[in-house]
Amino acid sequence: MTATDTARPAAPPGAAPARRISINPRQSGIYVAFALIVVLFEVLTGGALLEPQNISNIIVQNSYVLILAVGMILVIISGHIDLSAGSVVAMTGAVSAVLMVNLHVPWPIAVLITLVTGALIGAWQGYWVAYFGIPAFIVTLAGMLAFRALTLTVLGNQGIGPFPDAIRTLSNGFTDGYLGNIGLGPLGGADLLSLLAGVVAVAAIAVTQQRKRSARLGYGQEVDPYPVFVAKVAGAAILVLAVVVQLARFKNLPWVLILLAVLVVGYSLVAGRSVFGRHVYAVGGNLQAATLSGIKVKSVTFWIFVNMGVLAALAGIIFAGRLNQAGPTAGVNFELDAIAAAFIGGAAVQGGVGKVVGAITGGLIMAVINNGMSLIGAPSERVMLVKGIVLLAAVAYDIWTKRRGTA
């Protein structure tokens, strides 16, 4: 399920844009699959999956994997892989714990030092990949072992905690109800501020999509018929409002959800609108062509790994804050979940293809499977079996649609 645009010739200047329904199965498949999985587990759990508290739990309990998925999708788009993300989460979580708990460094300074530590780790790995030419698979495999060893050296067999209130609030806390509650009839009361935030998010989606449509029309490119366009925007708006209403009925918006929203919007803009983002896609799509066109491939690769290190450090702080301690086993298999989220969300194995929103959707699919099977009492081995089948099906679907498109 990759997200490449179907190649279509642009309309000649001055010609009326063609109007027909445009459905790309490689782009839409991930969202259809997500909807079907949610409906399936909503039925199997007797409605427990979409209860307000459970939706909040899904977001909070999987936030660190979603943060890693944002960085991992860029690594995979550029044609590389990072197997050390989980160990970096553990290492940076231990650094933050030593600073905040043992050395009593004020938490804002400790967070900054931890993020810089993550950046240095990413720079270390990026140097060997970009400038020394060692495959990322080998470099990050070595990093997985080395940073886990350093974590054990720092922590021994003990955890360090508790963390300051601010860190625990960022990981587990919720926004305050500054504007009070509002009645929603049979649904009961809900936080007004959270609902307003949801309305603003819906308005932003509508404005962004309308501007995107207008821009395509301006270039004479094909667009969906207006009723189809309205239906797509309305579907996204209903989904956002439904989640926000449920969260507003429970304990308002989780702070970590706001952090995730900022990351998704920011990285989507970087990937889709910035020069650096275009270079990342170019490097992953065709390395030789990117080199010949003058793109500084080594620099792009280096900074991608620096970015991955920073996001892994952020995930390490969030995870340690959620548990209220940094432990030696933190982050185990996190890199596998992030990689799976990226591929389920539409990244191509060869690189050059993928979206930040797709990786988040892939991560949410994994989260819903984990949560839903937990609710129905499935054993852990069955959860792993289902996740493995879903990952294989996602990659098989990607290959199938690609062959179908080139046939």
Side-chain angles (χ1 to χ4, degrees), residues 311-396:
L311 289 180
L314 180 60
I317 295 170
I318 297 295
F319 185 70
R322 171 171 161 69
L323 298 182
N324 202 20
Q325 74 169 8
T329 60
V332 174
N333 292 338
F334 281 12
E335 64 279 346
L336 301 183
D337 286 338
I339 292 169
F343 283 124
I344 291 174
V349 178
Q350 299 84 357
V353 174
K355 289 184 177 179
V356 173
V357 174
I360 293 295
T361 306
L364 289 175
I365 287 177
M366 302 283 284
V368 168
I369 292 174
N370 273 331
N371 183 270
M373 297 197 72
S374 174
L375 289 176
I376 62 178
S380 59
E381 63 269 21
R382 198 172 301 168
V383 177
M384 289 189 288
L385 175 64
V386 171
K387 289 166 65 177
I389 292 174
V390 170
L391 176 59
L392 181 61
V395 177

Side-chain angles (χ1 to χ4, degrees), residues 60 63-64 88-98 100-101 114 155 159-164 167-172 312-328 330-331 334:
V60 174
S63 57
Y64 31 90
V88 178
V89 166
M91 177 66 192
T92 52
V95 169
S96 67
V98 169
M100 296 183 207
V101 179
T114 304
L155 297 178
I160 297 179
F163 274 74
I167 300 300
R168 285 187 281 124
T169 299
L170 177 62
S171 304
N172 292 318
L314 180 60
I317 295 170
I318 297 295
F319 185 70
R322 171 171 161 69
L323 298 182
N324 202 20
Q325 74 169 8
F334 281 12

Side-chain angles (χ1 to χ4, degrees), residues 1 27-38 58 65-66 69-70 73 239 260 264 337-338 340-346 355-369 390:
M1 288 178 284
Q27 290 183 339
S28 306
I30 178 65
Y31 305 108
V32 174
F34 182 44
L36 292 176
I37 289 172
V38 169
I58 290 175
V65 173
L66 297 179
V70 172
I73 188 69
L239 176 63
L260 270 172
V264 170
D337 286 338
F343 283 124
I344 291 174
K355 289 184 177 179
V356 173
V357 174
I360 293 295
T361 306
L364 289 175
I365 287 177
M366 302 283 284
V368 168
I369 292 174
V390 170

Side-chain angles (χ1 to χ4, degrees), residues 185-273:
L187 295 179
D191 177 53
L192 179 57
L193 182 61
S194 299
L195 295 178
L196 290 176
V199 172
V200 171
V202 168
I205 292 173
V207 171
T208 302
Q209 293 302 312
Q210 179 60 48
R211 292 183 61 180
K212 183 177 179 181
R213 175 185 170 85
S214 299
R216 291 179 66 87
L217 285 172
Y219 286 108
Q221 296 177 342
E222 293 181 0
V223 295
D224 289 327
Y226 201 72
V228 176
F229 168 76
V230 172
K232 287 183 175 179
V233 174
I238 291 173
L239 176 63
V240 171
L241 285 178
V243 171
V244 169
V245 166
Q246 293 295 71
L247 294 174
R249 292 173 60 202
F250 181 53
K251 290 183 178 179
N252 308 340
L253 299 179
W255 280 110
V256 74
L257 175 61
I258 296 175
L259 174 63
L260 270 172
V262 172
L263 290 176
V264 170
V265 172
Y267 276 89
S268 294
L269 291 175
V270 169
R273 301 290 182 86

